Structure formats: C-alpha cells, structure tokens
Amino acid sequence: GAGVSQSPSNKVTEKGKDVELRCDPISGHTALYWYRQSLGQGLEFLIYFQGNSAPDKSGLPSDRFSAERTGGSVSTLTIQRTQQEDSAVYLCASSAQGGSNQPQHFGDGTRLSIL
Amino acid sequence: DQQVKQNSPSLSVQEGRISILNCDYTNSMFDYFLWYKKYPAEGPTFLISISSIKDKNEDGRFTVFLNKSAKHLSLHIVPSQPGDSAVYFCAASAPYNFNKFYFGSGTKLNVKP
C-alpha cells in the first residue's frame, strides 16, 4: 500500500495479557516512530528507529513495553502484562530520513482497550 | 510534563471566516514546529511547519505564525471551510534531539456551513 499500515485496527484484551501491535511503514522510509494517544491527551512519543542505528527508547513508559524493527521495515510494539492504563490509541509513523524537517506519515492507529 | 500546550480543546467558526488555533510551549530550545490535522479514526496528516529562524510561513489558506519571545505559535486558516473540521495538533522538536517530537493535546475545530 501507499501509506503506513497498522494492524490490528482494534484490540480488546484482558488485563495481564500480552499484546503485539504491528506497523508497516511506507516503503523506503528509514525512520519509524511509535506514539501513544490516551483519551483527551496529545501524542506521547514512545520510541524511534532510524535505519540500523540503536533505537531511541526514551519514551517507553515502563519495561513492559518493547519494540522491534526487523529488516529495517516492519515494526512490532509489544506490551507485556497489560494494565488498564495502557488503554489508548497507538500510532505509528514513518518518514523518509528522520529529523525535524521530514514530515511524518501516520497510520490510522491501533485502538487498544484493556478490560 | 507537558512542554507543548493547546489550551483550547475546541473552536467553532463560521464557514468563510478565519480560524485561529493557538499553541504554547515551555522549552526555549525548541526550534522546529509543525501542525498536523486529524480526522476521526485516521492518523494525523502533516499540514505546515515553521523553523525558528522564521516568524511566518504560508501555504495556501494556512499560515503559521511564530512568536519566539512569547513561546507561542498560531495557525490561521482563511477562509475556513467545512472540510477543515478536524482535530489540529501542534508539535515541536529541539536540535539536541530532533527526532523526538512533543505534541499538544489538540484543538477540535468545527467549521459551520
């Protein structure tokens, strides 16, 4: 596809379960970002990948959160032992090179609900 | 800590009039600012940006103004159209970590026909 693709679009799970969210960036984009948007809040930076460099994980809220990017393309965000406060929309974005002057292209997000 | 703030959660404007969306920031190191537009159930889309070396950037109906001394930026939409109804986010980054963007909480714009 032409845009950033995220799956699933919606996920409902019980507290304590692990969840995996997937992001397919735009082909050729080397930079990939994960954000979280809780109800009534702005986008909260989680993690940033650029090419083969070590990711910037400074936004991950706890060690229950981790992310991988395989082959410089697809990324998965994993949340272990989910808590109710993890309920949010998780957005993925990619850009051609990374950097502030490279607009990010966002996917439509995964709406995660923890019961 | 919220380094980028959008204090108006919503704004209602008549079609054809000007829409002014405001954004304040606290970090004086921010040097690049962006506005994104978001429709329901979709991801944000990039709208317009401005570097701190400028105080104005214009793109068609959209103009962003930056007041560095006040740590304030605004997005003007003239004339407003019903299709502009969406949530608008401002975002900022600093040169010491230009890949990390700080977003405001958004302002929901409703343009009435």
Side-chain angles (χ1 to χ4, degrees):
Chain A
V4 176
S5 177
Q6 291 188 245
S7 61
S9 54
N10 283 284
K11 177 74 177 176
V12 180
T13 192
E14 293 179 346
K15 176 182 169 182
K17 301 282 189 184
D18 297 352
V19 295
E20 208 170 82
L21 312 179
R22 178 187 167 104
C23 173
D24 280 277
I26 292 173
S27 177
H29 279 191
T30 61
L32 187 147
Y33 305 78
W34 281 100
Y35 293 90
R36 174 171 75 172
Q37 185 183 15
S38 303
L39 192 64
Q41 303 295 314
L43 279 68
E44 176 190 3
F45 169 85
L46 297 178
I47 188 169
Y48 163 74
F49 295 90
Q50 170 61 286
N52 296 320
S53 303
D56 177 352
K57 304 179 181 180
S58 60
L60 294 178
S62 78
D63 59 7
R64 296 187 295 106
F65 288 72
S66 63
E68 287 186 342
R69 189 178 185 194
T70 52
S73 181
V74 171
S75 177
T76 54
L77 176 70
T78 301
I79 310 173
Q80 296 177 309
R81 305 181 302 281
T82 52
Q83 304 293 313
Q84 287 187 329
E85 61 263 27
D86 299 335
S87 296
V89 176
Y90 289 81
L91 289 157
C92 174
S94 70
S95 66
Q97 296 171 7
S100 57
N101 62 348
Q102 295 284 328
Q104 296 171 46
H105 300 262
F106 283 83
D108 290 341
T110 295
R111 182 174 295 278
L112 177 64
S113 300
I114 309 300
L115 303 178
Chain B
D1 61 335
Q2 194 80 3
Q3 298 192 45
V4 177
K5 298 178 184 178
Q6 293 175 258
N7 292 318
S8 298
S10 63
L11 175 68
S12 188
V13 170
Q14 201 68 38
E15 180 179 7
R17 306 296 287 266
I18 184 171
S19 295
I20 301 176
L21 298 106
N22 294 304
C23 180
D24 297 289
Y25 59 96
T26 57
N27 188 342
S28 58
M29 296 296 290
F30 286 152
D31 69 341
Y32 202 81
F33 305 88
L34 308 94
W35 284 93
Y36 285 83
K37 179 165 100 170
K38 184 182 184 301
Y39 292 117
E42 294 183 10
T45 55
F46 170 74
L47 196 56
I48 193 169
S49 64
I50 189 167
S51 162
S52 61
I53 61 174
K54 295 184 176 181
D55 54 18
K56 176 182 173 181
N57 189 26
E58 193 171 350
D59 183 2
R61 296 185 297 113
F62 302 90
T63 303
V64 55
F65 294 92
L66 176 62
N67 183 334
K68 290 185 288 292
S69 60
K71 297 194 189 71
H72 177 85
L73 67 155
S74 60
L75 175 68
H76 293 211
I77 307 173
V78 184
S80 302
Q81 299 173 354
D84 296 330
S85 297
V87 177
Y88 289 79
F89 292 96
C90 65
S93 69
Y96 53 80
N97 194 349
F98 53 77
N99 292 303
K100 188 167 183 176
F101 294 84
Y102 296 84
F103 282 79
S105 54
T107 296
K108 186 173 182 179
L109 174 65
N110 179 34
V111 180
K112 296 177 287 188

